[in-house]
């Protein structure tokens, strides 16, 4: 589908561990649709893929395939099916792929260890996948998020201010899987601990872009990896997996309600502006002036699967599950983007 005249697009990528393969399928469909991305925001695994979208060394689709090929964890044939597919977060020889290097101190003194895996392999692979000079010069603004540990505040790192590999690594530093990432004098963890859907950074960026060059229409595409319903847990693995899903699902629902409320206020503002005399003193009221600066998002597309049974769990890094998610994300996105 060719890009509509005057259409500007922002893409929002959640964190979700192995579920991120679904997002990779969505990204491929977005790029194939002919849309020209203006903004991409990402958290955790979404941050890795956001950097690839804007600054990949080569075709982004090929680089995404390499990312997910190297994240595959072999399934142990001697363990029960679900448990065997949930070992990517555990320090076992099964997770000894090129992007997994176990923290030696975990074996020597596990009670004193702060993480299970080292982050250096991911940082090295990121340099292979992404040209950061190209990313920072790209017309696509890339924003990734992380949590500053001492203050507990969410930090936003933008290519407009200069993104570096450590900013992306910080966004994927989920404790206790990976260590905290130092940047300047602070230490950072995965942005999903505070907000797993970087929706606010995308909306703020839309307003900033629109202030520089007014766009006729803005489209916001959000990938939602977490489903609101599931069968009751059958074992401890199920319990932990569903807990992870519910925490992140609930945060997105809050963000979505806030977005819908804000858009309704801007709709009201448009009507008031039309009805209000140009000489009205209300136009000088600070609240009126502040609200008038905001830009309404014209179209919101939330891409989520209608087949959560095919999506699987966030800790399932098996080759079969990843391949299935890539295909599912592409097909779901194709349908959603044609509406």
């Amino acid at each position: 589908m060719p890009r509509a005249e005057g259409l500007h697009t922002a893409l929002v990528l959640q964190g979700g561990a192995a579920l991120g393969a679904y997002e990779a399928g969505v990204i491929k469909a977005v790029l194939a649709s002919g849309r020209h991305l203006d903004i991409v925001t990402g958290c955790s695994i979404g941050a890795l893929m956001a950097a690839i979208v804007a600054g990949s060394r080569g075709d982004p689709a090929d680089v995404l395939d390499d990312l997910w090929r190297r994240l595959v964890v072999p399934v142990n044939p001697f363990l029960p099916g679900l448990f065997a597919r949930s070992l990517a977060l555990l320090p076992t020889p099964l997770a000894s792929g090129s992007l997994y290097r176990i923290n030696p101190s975990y074996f020597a003194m596990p009670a004193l260890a702060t993480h299970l895996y080292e982050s250096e392999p991911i940082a090295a692979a990121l340099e292979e996948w992404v040209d950061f000079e190209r990313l920072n010069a790209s017309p696509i603004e890339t924003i990734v998020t992380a949590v500053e540990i001492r203050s507990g505040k969410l930090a936003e790192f933008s290519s407009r201010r200069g993104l570096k590999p450590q900013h992306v690594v910080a966004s994927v530093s989920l404790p206790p899987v990976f260590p905290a990432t130092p940047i300047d004098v602070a230490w950072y963890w995965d942005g999903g601990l505070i907000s797993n859907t970087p929706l606010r950074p995308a909306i703020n960026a839309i307003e900033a872009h629109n202030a520089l060059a007014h766009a006729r229409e803005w489209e916001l595409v959000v990938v939602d990896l977490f489903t609101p319903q599931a069968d009751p847990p059958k074992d401890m693995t199920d319990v932990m997996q569903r807990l992870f899903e519910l925490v992140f699902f609930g945060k997105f629902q809050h963000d979505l309600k806030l977005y819908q409320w804000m858009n309704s206020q801007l709709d009201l503002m448009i009507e008031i502006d039309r009805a209000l005399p140009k000489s009205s003193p209300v136009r000088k009221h600070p609240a009126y002036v502040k609200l008038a600066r905001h830009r309404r998002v014209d179209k919101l597309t939330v891409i989520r699967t209608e087949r959560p049974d095919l999506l699987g769990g966030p800790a399932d890094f098996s080759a079969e599950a990843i391949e299935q998610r890539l295909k599912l994300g592409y097909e779901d996105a194709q349908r959603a983007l044609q509406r």
Side-chain angles (χ1 to χ4, degrees):
M1 174 176 131
R3 185 189 184 193
E5 185 66 29
L7 177 65
H8 293 246
T9 302
L11 176 64
V12 179
L13 302 173
Q14 289 183 339
L19 300 183
Y22 179 88
E23 285 185 313
V26 171
I27 292 169
K28 290 182 180 183
V30 170
L31 296 176
S33 73
R35 282 169 169 78
H36 184 280
L37 290 175
D38 295 85
I39 300 161
V40 58
T41 65
C43 174
S44 197
I45 189 65
L48 269 175
M49 294 188 291
I52 289 170
V53 167
S56 65
R57 300 181 189 272
D59 187 282
D62 293 338
V63 178
L64 288 170
D65 284 340
D66 186 55
L67 163 66
W68 287 101
R69 178 184 60 80
R70 294 167 74 173
L71 282 172
V72 166
V73 176
V75 175
N76 188 335
F78 301 104
L79 292 175
L82 179 60
F83 188 65
R85 292 172 178 272
S86 303
L87 288 177
L89 302 183
L90 300 178
T92 74
L94 292 178
S96 58
S98 60
L99 295 185
Y100 301 102
R101 189 169 75 208
I102 297 170
N103 174 17
S105 66
Y106 182 84
F107 288 115
M109 293 178 290
L112 299 179
T114 60
H115 58 281
L116 305 180
Y117 293 113
E118 303 290 0
S119 56
E120 284 82 2
I122 290 179
L126 185 60
E127 295 274 18
E128 294 178 34
W129 294 324
V130 178
D131 179 340
F132 277 84
E133 287 188 9
R134 178 182 178 185
L135 182 151
N136 289 319
S138 171
I140 303 173
E141 181 177 7
T142 305
I143 302 171
V144 302
T145 61
V147 177
E148 199 276 305
I149 295 176
R150 184 180 295 273
S151 67
K153 293 180 179 179
L154 189 68
E156 299 174 7
F157 303 111
S158 168
S159 59
R160 292 293 183 265
R161 298 186 296 274
L163 271 181
K164 298 179 180 178
Q166 56 264 42
H167 294 132
V168 180
V169 174
S171 189
V172 302
S173 297
L174 179 66
V177 183
F178 295 110
T181 299
I183 300 176
D184 298 327
V185 296
W187 292 80
Y188 294 86
W189 272 338
D190 191 314
L193 296 172
I194 297 294
S195 177
N196 193 51
T197 309
L199 185 60
R200 185 183 67 180
I203 293 173
N204 290 342
I206 285 173
E207 294 187 344
H209 281 235
N210 199 69
L212 294 175
H214 181 73
R216 192 177 73 184
E217 185 177 11
W218 271 101
E219 173 191 43
L220 189 58
V221 178
V222 183
V223 188
D224 185 17
L225 299 174
F226 298 95
T227 55
Q229 297 179 351
D231 295 329
K234 299 180 180 66
D235 53 34
M236 188 57 70
T237 302
D238 265 3
V239 169
M240 297 306 294
Q241 180 168 287
R242 190 57 185 156
L243 176 64
F244 183 84
E245 292 170 346
L246 286 173
V247 168
F248 290 122
F249 170 77
K251 289 179 180 178
F252 175 57
Q253 296 313 298
H254 174 76
D255 290 341
L256 191 56
K257 287 180 180 178
L258 187 61
Y259 158 81
Q260 292 167 340
W261 176 85
M262 187 64 185
N263 245 21
S264 68
Q265 298 304 300
L266 293 177
D267 285 338
L268 176 60
M269 181 68 180
I270 291 170
E271 295 303 318
I272 292 174
D273 188 65
R274 288 172 180 165
L276 200 64
K278 296 297 183 183
S279 59
S280 172
V282 174
R283 293 183 178 276
K284 297 181 180 180
H285 191 285
Y288 184 95
V289 173
K290 183 177 181 180
L291 192 57
R293 293 194 187 109
H294 290 287
R295 171 60 159 86
R296 188 187 189 283
V297 176
D298 304 287
K299 181 180 180 182
L300 170 67
T301 300
V302 178
I303 300 175
R304 63 166 67 93
T305 187
E306 295 178 359
R307 294 291 310 276
D309 55 311
L310 297 180
L311 196 59
D316 184 356
F317 283 85
S318 65
E320 178 186 2
I322 285 175
E323 187 61 36
Q324 184 165 266
R325 291 183 193 118
L326 286 165
K327 181 174 182 292
L328 188 63
Y330 187 86
E331 293 173 350
D332 286 346
Q334 275 190 316
R335 287 191 293 271
L337 295 171
Q338 289 172 359
R339 293 172 189 160

